[in-house]
Each structure stands twice: as structure tokens, then as C-alpha cells.
Amino acid sequence: MKRAILQAVDGCAHHFRVTLHGHPVEFCSDEADTGEILQFLFHLQAQVVERTKEEQSSSSSPWRIAVIRSDAIWNHEADRRPIDPEGEMVGLRTYWRPDFPSEFVVLSKALTVVRHKAPFRGLTVLLNEERLFVYVRPEADDTFIPHVETLAGYLWRRALWHEGFLDLHSAMLRYRGRGAVIIGPKMAGKTSLAMHFLARGAELLGSDFGEITMTPQGTLQAKAVPHICRITPETIADNAFLYKALDTTRRDGFAYRNGPVFSHGKYEFFAPGLDLLFNRPVNITSMNVDLLIFPKFSPDTIRQRITSIDSETARARLVQSIAHDRPLADWLPFPDVLNRQDREAPRLEALGKAQLRAVQVEFGREPSLAWEDITALFDTGAG
């Protein structure tokens, strides 16, 4: 199978380089609309450049992602029995946690194959020595655009991890020139609060996760990795701007380039869709973090309450979130993340010494929010 995959990759006619935060990823595909897909996914946050096959071959060795269609390869793996990780690879089981069902059919340091059957059919193949990801799908199936974005996200998250960044499950935005990170478990109100900010002119770095690090100067910095923004119908119904701007009767299946789709019980937006929704550029790729917000949503709350959180408590809650509340989807099994927790320990220790400005915001439906008080948090110093 490996030989057949490499032969199919070598036959790809379309080649592109996509660079985010200085980290290039090479794409190749046998699809004529590859460039359109990559421009749609990444051009608002990364640089997308078409390249010849010769340019790709002569460049240094960044990671590559190939998107190919092959009934022969798919059928060869479609009915293979799934396997459980064994030996040293068992520690990698938790690093494959996508938003949709999947199963290992091959797992080794040299070759990993993951099979997907819903909501799309395909294989994810990881060839570590060749620095190559391959997304293989049956010939009759269209490219599943979210999976292309997910694979690129693995590589950029891994690259930023090597720079000292950590995944943080949060909404990240910039409002009135200051960066804020909204941290909380599911149903805490992260996305709802972030959408209220966006309706009032904020810029979005990430609706569900981003990368965070401590700079040598002792400040927090956040960087974006492109991913789908998912918004629940309840959030839309409770946000006067979204409710007016979004046609919730639309159902586009997986035609993401035609507008938002309704999937997994939420409306899904890529970056161009958010810009269209808010009728302005929304997405940013990096920011300094001036404020941590811990939301506490309850539909019974009728009046917002803002409470300051001391720096020690804020540090502990930030470290706890990074260590124990991993955002989905997590990485495929790169061998260099086997000792991930050991590598991250000193970074978490550094974050545990940061001077942080933090508040808890208790709120309910939109009328409960007092924006003059929220705005005051961003107009005061960040000390």
C-alpha cells in the first residue's frame, strides 16, 4: 500500500505552498480546484502560493499534505480490522481524538493509517520518514474540506509546539486594541460571549482554541491555527446581530464554500464565512494577551456580574485548563509527542509564575450584559 500511495502522490499535478507563522506546508493534489480550496481555507490567515512540481522537489523539506482519490487504495483498507495501539505506541492513542468517528488500521512510527467512515469516507495516512500526510478518498467522493484544514492544523500546531506554544481550549479575541482569552469548559458561554464581542467590533483569533506562550519579556502571546467556528442555534437566537444577519433556514450539506452549514448540531463557519457574516475583516493571526475572562453562563442570570480574580488563582486555572482540557481535534501520532507531558512541564511552570489580569463574568441572555462595564475592562491598564 505504501508504494501505491507514494506513486499516487508523485502523480499529483497541482502544487502549492501555504505558510502560517513562518511555517510552510506543501500541498499537492490531483484535483483541479485545489488552489480554490486552499485560498478559501487559508488566504485570510496564511500565504498561499502556487508552485511547480520542480519547485516543490527542489525546496527544503517541509511537511507535505497530499489529497488524492483512489478506489484501489480505499478498497484495500476499507474492510481491514481496526487495531489497538500496543507497546510504546499505546501512549499515542489519546492523540487521535477528532470530531468525527475514526479508527486505527495501521499504527507504527513509520506508518500510520486512520480510517474514516462518517461524515466522510477516507483514509488519513501519516508517513513520518517522508514527512508526508496523505488524505485518500474514494473516486466518487468530493474532498471533505474540514479534513484538509484539520491536517494542516496538526502540522502548524506541532510546529508551534516546538517553539514553546501550548494548545489552549478557549475563545481568543482582540477588543479595543487589547487581547482577551475566554477560558471555560463546555457550556460555560465562551462562544456566546465571543460572538457578543464580535457583534460589537472585536476581532477573532480563535473560537475554540489557539496557541499560547510566555514571551521572554514575561507577557502572554497567542497565535491562531485556522479552524471552523461552530455556533449553536441557541447562541444565534440570543444574539440580536447574528439573528438578524444569518439565514438559519439554509442547509448546504457539506458545500462549505457556498456558505455556513449546519453540522454536529451547530452552524459552521470558515474564516471567509465569518467575514461575510460580520461584513468586515474579522480574523487575526496573533496578539498579546492582556486579559483572561472566565465566563459563567446561566439562562437564569438577569444581571451581569464581573468579579476580579487574583493572579495566583488565574494562573492555577490557566495551567489546569492547558493540562487537562485539551481542545479537539488533537494530533495524529507523531512519535516526537510521545513524551509530550514531560516537554510541556517547564512551560506550564513558567505560566504558573505569570502576572495575569483576570475576571469572572457571570451572565445570562443578551439583555443581561452591561457593555459599559465590559468596555471598562479594556479601557483600563493591563497591569
Side-chain angles (χ1 to χ4, degrees):
M1 183 192 71
K2 180 177 177 180
R3 178 179 298 178
I5 288 175
L6 291 176
Q7 288 177 344
V9 171
D10 188 59
C12 288
H14 306 281
H15 301 266
F16 294 84
R17 171 171 283 195
V18 183
T19 304
L20 177 68
H21 304 309
H23 298 289
V25 174
E26 306 281 8
F27 282 84
C28 65
S29 175
D30 50 11
E31 298 297 323
D33 65 348
T34 298
E36 295 178 10
I37 291 174
L38 296 179
Q39 288 285 347
F40 173 79
L41 284 175
F42 303 124
H43 83 279
L44 293 178
Q45 296 160 297
Q47 181 186 41
V48 182
V49 178
E50 186 171 7
R51 293 161 65 84
T52 66
K53 184 176 181 179
E54 291 71 25
E55 286 175 322
Q56 297 278 59
S57 301
S58 63
S59 65
S60 56
S61 301
W63 276 85
R64 294 179 295 157
I65 294 175
V67 182
I68 61 176
R69 60 172 69 208
S70 171
D71 285 344
I73 297 173
W74 165 254
N75 291 333
H76 184 270
E77 301 296 332
D79 297 321
R80 182 185 291 205
R81 292 185 59 185
I83 64 168
D84 287 325
E86 296 180 354
E88 64 177 336
M89 303 302 286
V90 71
L92 294 172
R93 188 201 318 248
T94 60
Y95 295 114
W96 176 248
R97 300 184 301 155
D99 287 337
F100 22 81
S102 60
E103 54 195 9
F104 287 112
V105 293
V106 179
L107 179 62
S108 69
K109 283 191 172 183
L111 172 67
T112 297
V113 181
V114 176
R115 180 172 57 218
H116 314 274
K117 291 187 177 180
F120 72 104
R121 296 188 303 164
L123 306 172
T124 297
V125 182
L126 172 60
L127 295 164
N128 270 296
E129 294 178 359
E130 289 81 4
R131 297 172 65 83
L132 174 65
F133 264 129
V134 187
Y135 164 25
V136 184
R137 70 186 190 286
E139 294 181 10
D141 293 8
D142 292 332
T143 302
F144 189 59
I145 291 180
H147 195 52
V148 176
E149 183 192 60
T150 297
L151 294 181
Y154 290 139
L155 295 178
W156 284 320
R157 289 168 69 186
R158 176 181 175 273
L160 289 171
W161 180 69
H162 278 285
E163 288 185 359
F165 283 81
L166 297 168
D167 290 339
L168 178 58
H169 181 199
S170 65
M172 298 185 177
L173 55 89
R174 187 166 61 201
Y175 181 61
R176 301 176 75 87
R178 296 186 181 276
V181 173
I182 305 174
I183 304 172
K186 290 183 177 181
M187 308 304 291
K190 296 188 299 298
T191 302
S192 291
L193 190 55
M195 291 301 110
H196 287 307
F197 272 107
L198 262 64
R200 289 161 174 82
E203 302 159 298
L204 186 68
L205 186 139
S207 66
D208 193 53
F209 75 85
E211 304 299 314
I212 194 168
T213 192
M214 177 75 71
T215 70
Q217 294 75 32
T219 60
L220 292 182
Q221 183 184 40
K223 290 188 176 182
V225 174
H227 64 278
I228 294 175
C229 177
R230 294 185 170 96
I231 308 176
T232 66
E234 293 80 9
T235 291
I236 293 170
D238 185 47
N239 186 305
F241 178 89
L242 294 180
Y243 186 78
K244 182 179 179 180
L246 182 62
D247 179 4
T248 57
T249 65
R250 290 188 62 176
R251 294 291 189 274
D252 292 315
F254 291 129
Y256 283 89
R257 284 180 283 176
N258 296 332
V261 306
F262 191 74
S263 178
H264 296 83
K266 298 182 179 182
Y267 289 89
E268 299 185 343
F269 298 82
F270 288 109
L274 285 177
D275 282 6
L276 183 64
L277 176 63
F278 289 97
N279 197 30
R280 61 182 174 85
V282 167
N283 298 274
I284 58 175
T285 57
S286 64
M287 69 181 192
N288 290 328
V289 178
D290 303 295
L291 179 68
L292 304 185
I293 299 176
F294 295 92
K296 187 177 181 180
F297 173 81
S298 170
D300 298 326
T301 301
I302 60 174
R303 183 174 297 178
Q304 160 190 294
R305 181 182 179 186
I306 299 176
T307 308
S308 294
I309 298 176
D310 65 87
S311 189
E312 182 178 357
T313 300
R315 289 194 297 266
R317 293 178 70 172
L318 174 63
V319 170
Q320 174 78 8
S321 180
I322 293 173
H324 300 291
D325 186 17
R326 296 290 188 187
L328 296 178
D330 215 332
W331 298 334
L332 272 170
F334 298 106
D336 57 352
V337 304
L338 272 168
N339 299 316
R340 176 171 164 180
Q341 291 182 337
D342 294 338
R343 292 277 298 273
E344 292 181 356
R347 305 174 193 178
L348 292 173
E349 183 178 358
L351 287 174
K353 299 176 182 178
Q355 293 300 311
L356 303 175
R357 184 166 172 259
V359 296
Q360 177 173 280
V361 177
E362 300 175 57
F363 69 104
R365 302 298 184 191
E366 184 170 14
S368 72
L369 294 167
W371 276 93
E372 63 276 11
D373 295 338
I374 294 175
T375 297
L377 297 172
F378 292 81
D379 289 340
T380 58

